[in-house]
Amino acid sequence: MSSGPEADFARSCVSSITSSGQRATLLTADGVRIEAARTPRTPPPAGPAGAPADDLVIVLAHGFTGALERPALRRAAAAFAQRAAVITFSFRGHGRSGGRSTVGDREVEDLAAAVRWARSLGHRRVATVGFSMGGSVVLRHAALYGQGEREGRTGAHADIVVSISAPARWYYRGTASMRRLHWVVTRPTGRLVSRLGLRTRIHDRDWDPVPLSPTDAVPLIAPTPLLVVHGDRDPYFPLDHPRMLMAAADPATTELWIEPGFGHAENAAGPELLGRIGEWVAARG
């Protein structure tokens, strides 16, 4: 009987095959059940029948109030699937996943569970691509799951990281959009609105301790390739956020794209931008 990390992970993952791909319920290290799905590359890579899974997989981390079934994330998954297999999942408190959202803190464990699932399916190269809240999560995940996680088939580390529309620092209230978001997260009435209107369940406790900030995380990511993408019309985070991230990152392994006319996260990402990001990932995969 098998034992060790791979066996433990297999027991925590309930998987099924559907007409559109593979679905799974994953269990995070802190005991939260996460819904996830794998979309195969379209078209599949050339090779003999029964060949191993495509080496590269892209794991998508959605923004706050998103979920794997939301149209914007499905559109992004379809675009990236032209270059690699794609795994989507719903963060805790979102969609059919359990638990409550901690707005970017414990969500690192959700991403780690999705990455481990990707490696258990045979993918040897994992790119994490995050939008907004998910963009901050992929940065902190890459910093926290570094060299020590690089051994073993079910390791949770990322080999390539893309952060889109992410904040550089916590508690930012400099735009009307962020002031509204803080009301939703911090007020009981706001959390009720989020649960009923946005289908997002938010934890009622403050961060304790405050998690590593995105700006403090990025220096720890190198030598992993990192791409930071931000729009010049982002209504949530102005351009000082991506510039702070770039200033803190290793310039030898990091690129910054400031996209003219681009708004915020997956809802605003069009086919051309998604295609270029997919090409950047594939070139490093």
Side-chain angles (χ1 to χ4, degrees), residues 65-87:
T65 76
L68 68 81
E69 298 291 358
R70 294 292 175 91
L73 197 69
R74 293 175 67 178
R75 183 176 66 248
F80 290 132
Q82 297 177 39
R83 292 163 180 85
V86 176
I87 285 178

Side-chain angles (χ1 to χ4, degrees), residues 60-250:
L60 295 186
H62 62 75
F64 183 65
T65 76
L68 68 81
E69 298 291 358
R70 294 292 175 91
L73 197 69
R74 293 175 67 178
R75 183 176 66 248
F80 290 132
Q82 297 177 39
R83 292 163 180 85
V86 176
I87 285 178
T88 53
F89 66 96
S90 296
F91 280 121
R92 61 187 62 200
H94 294 73
R96 296 186 180 90
S97 291
R100 295 186 180 185
S101 175
T102 63
V103 199
D105 180 12
R106 302 301 297 173
E107 282 75 8
V108 169
E109 301 293 347
D110 308 345
L111 179 57
V115 172
R116 286 191 181 100
W117 184 46
R119 295 195 188 280
S120 77
L121 297 174
H123 298 289
R124 292 186 291 179
R125 299 281 290 171
V126 178
T128 55
V129 177
F131 299 92
S132 191
M133 179 186 78
S136 72
V137 172
V138 300
L139 295 175
R140 291 183 52 244
H141 169 268
L144 296 172
Y145 287 83
Q147 296 292 336
E149 287 287 330
R150 294 183 187 277
E151 295 182 3
R153 188 163 170 245
T154 57
H157 70 279
D159 301 293
I160 304 161
V161 181
V162 180
S163 179
I164 305 165
S165 304
R169 55 194 185 274
W170 304 136
Y171 304 112
Y172 177 73
R173 292 178 171 85
T175 58
S177 295
M178 284 305 297
R179 289 191 289 273
R180 287 193 296 269
L181 178 59
H182 276 274
W183 178 83
V184 166
V185 171
T186 61
R187 302 294 181 87
T189 302
R191 292 191 292 270
L192 179 63
V193 169
S194 177
R195 179 168 60 85
L196 298 179
L198 303 175
R199 293 178 290 172
T200 301
R201 306 174 305 281
I202 306 171
H203 210 292
D204 61 359
R205 297 175 188 169
D206 293 336
W207 286 339
D208 184 19
V210 175
L212 184 74
S213 77
T215 299
D216 290 334
V218 290
L220 307 177
I221 295 175
T224 300
L226 169 63
L227 173 63
V228 176
V229 181
H230 212 91
D232 66 357
R233 295 189 179 180
D234 192 309
Y236 288 84
F237 306 115
L239 292 179
D240 62 311
H241 285 260
R243 288 168 178 157
M244 283 180 65
L245 294 175
M246 186 65 199
D250 182 349

